[in-house]
Amino acid sequence: MNGVGKNASDLLQASTYQELGWNFMDTWTINENENYPLLKNNTGASVKPGENPNPDPEPILSDDDKIVVAEVTASKGQQATIGIDLENKTTDLTAYQFDLTLPDGVSLSLNDKGKFLVTKTSRYGDDSQTLNVSKLEGNTYRFVCFSMSNEIITGTSGAILNASLTIGASVNTGSYEATITNIVVTKQDGTQMKLNDSKFSIIVTNVIKGDANGDGEVNVSDIVEIVNYIMGKPSVNFVQAAADLNGDGEINVTDIVKVVSIIMDTNSSSAAMHRSALNGNLTLNGKGQVMTAMVQHAEQFTAAQFDIILGDGQEIEGISLNSNSDHSLTWKMTKEGTYRVVVYSLTNSVFDVNDSELMSISLKGMNGRIAVENVILVTANSNTTGIGKVTTDKSLESWYTLDGRKLDSQPTKKGFFIKNGKKFVVR
């Protein structure tokens, strides 16, 4: 309503309609929390939600319009998104209603506020439509969408809604049928039309969405695997069903973005410790509030992922990539004191760095011990090296003279020097 969604209780309040200019002094009346608005000269019986004293004639059946949902492949214990498409030859549709019945063990996903994860698409033009979704008996959900200003749904094909489904972990693999029934659409002039029922399949697999290389984990090596496929160089380990995260039948950068989202939103360890194809090594070194992530043989690798573990009172202020290549860097705090870092290239270019210095990390807060865990380094041909846990390597920490000159090693001559932002004396 005016671009803001309203729920059923909102529609029983006068203020909802007053925002649109409805006159409750002279024209309309409402018994709030009980009835919808009535004209003041309406002498009929009071109408409660769900009742109609003057029922509309039976909707006519339309074969020109239909709702379609494409087959979707989903993994046990994970979510999958379906697009609910409206293919309509009728061009002045303004409202619709239907029931979606899902197989046992499959449900509409909820967000962290307990609301169904269903979103309208751009076919709603000015977004004046109000969408309500409610759960009926069994595993059926009712969708009702209408416009208080009688705006039409734009276009004649494409998704009107995107809905997220959750596949229960106990659901057996196989093909399941979902149905869309009781479909009624309404034209701008109020004419109602009934559409034919629709069915679609939900294929449940053991495939882990995002696990493009099939190793049972989702991490930066899967990004490299997808990039190789896009570049026309798929490996024998490539799992297309796992790489097609949005279920559109295509593998492209959209799927890479979704893999990054999975990686950044998990707190679990995802390092592939069982594979060690190269002698990759990552260490932290630096002084004061600036640390440098050092990668030995950086020129062999195209991607990296690791977790930085900070002490109490510390936090990361910023991270900057030192590579001259086309890499993307993303990082976020996954839990208190732990930050996940992911670096990858959309062309699988190798790192182009000086002196193995991959990135600079700016810290704020008290000085303390810093550790790096779950390190994954990946080559362009998808070889992965896993490194369990790394702490700041004192032997590689940089020493500086008082005038700012960096030394190649720990000083042996007598004098004053700087290490980790502190002054030391060598006697």
Side-chain angles (χ1 to χ4, degrees), residues 97-131:
Q97 173 180 319
F98 62 83
D99 295 338
L100 169 65
T101 301
L102 297 172
D104 291 341
V106 180
S107 60
L108 272 184
S109 306
L110 298 172
N111 63 18
D112 54 4
K113 295 181 179 179
K115 302 294 185 181
F116 292 116
L117 280 173
V118 180
T119 57
K120 295 179 292 183
T121 69
S122 59
R123 290 194 64 186
Y124 286 95
D126 64 0
D127 197 31
S128 66
Q129 281 84 354
T130 297
L131 172 67

Side-chain angles (χ1 to χ4, degrees), residues 62-331:
S62 171
D63 291 323
D64 291 334
D65 311 291
K66 57 184 177 180
I67 282 183
V68 178
V69 177
E71 176 182 288
V72 60
T73 299
S75 305
K76 297 166 59 171
Q78 297 194 0
Q79 294 182 347
T81 299
I82 58 171
I84 301 175
D85 294 357
L86 174 63
E87 298 180 4
N88 53 297
K89 292 184 179 179
T90 307
T91 58
D92 61 344
L93 299 179
T94 185
Y96 61 83
Q97 173 180 319
F98 62 83
D99 295 338
L100 169 65
T101 301
L102 297 172
D104 291 341
V106 180
S107 60
L108 272 184
S109 306
L110 298 172
N111 63 18
D112 54 4
K113 295 181 179 179
K115 302 294 185 181
F116 292 116
L117 280 173
V118 180
T119 57
K120 295 179 292 183
T121 69
S122 59
R123 290 194 64 186
Y124 286 95
D126 64 0
D127 197 31
S128 66
Q129 281 84 354
T130 297
L131 172 67
N132 289 310
V133 183
S134 58
K135 192 172 189 302
L136 306 181
E137 292 183 0
N139 206 17
T140 298
Y141 302 83
R142 175 156 293 171
F143 294 70
V144 179
C145 187
F146 59 94
S147 169
M148 295 297 296
S149 55
N150 220 23
E151 294 295 326
I152 65 171
I153 300 170
T154 61
T156 57
S157 65
I160 50 174
L161 298 174
N162 290 316
S164 177
L165 307 181
T166 297
I167 314 300
S170 61
V171 176
N172 293 326
T173 59
S175 178
Y176 297 85
E177 183 178 271
T179 59
I180 297 178
T181 58
N182 303 322
I183 309 170
V184 177
V185 295
T186 305
K187 300 172 64 174
Q188 263 188 328
D189 63 5
T191 301
Q192 290 188 332
M193 298 186 298
K194 182 177 176 62
L195 308 188
N196 291 312
D197 295 345
S198 179
K199 300 178 182 179
F200 65 96
S201 296
I202 301 173
I203 311 299
V204 179
T205 72
N206 285 319
V207 170
I208 300 174
K209 284 294 184 181
D211 181 22
N213 60 9
D215 68 351
E217 305 281 354
V218 180
N219 54 46
V220 73
S221 64
D222 298 298
I223 297 176
V224 175
E225 195 79 41
I226 294 174
V227 171
N228 277 332
Y229 179 88
I230 294 172
M231 302 293 287
K233 299 181 293 184
S235 77
V236 295
N237 298 320
F238 183 70
V239 183
Q240 182 159 346
D244 184 15
L245 277 87
N246 62 0
D248 65 355
E250 299 181 1
I251 309 298
N252 52 40
V253 70
T254 303
D255 301 299
I256 293 175
V257 172
K258 288 184 175 293
V259 173
V260 173
S261 179
I262 292 173
I263 294 171
M264 302 307 289
D265 288 339
T266 180
N267 290 329
S268 62
S269 169
S270 57
M273 301 302 178
H274 56 285
R275 294 189 297 171
S276 183
L278 294 171
N279 291 321
N281 193 14
L282 184 147
T283 56
L284 288 180
N285 106 33
K287 61 174 184 174
Q289 302 300 90
V290 179
M291 303 293 293
T292 302
M294 311 283 292
V295 177
Q296 294 182 15
H297 310 296
E299 70 281 356
Q300 299 182 45
F301 300 103
T302 183
Q305 174 184 327
F306 55 91
D307 294 338
I308 301 174
I309 316 299
L310 301 181
D312 293 340
Q314 289 182 304
E315 58 182 286
I316 291 180
E317 194 169 36
I319 302 178
S320 59
L321 194 61
N322 296 332
S323 177
N324 295 318
S325 51
D326 62 353
H327 283 77
S328 297
L329 166 69
T330 184
W331 61 278

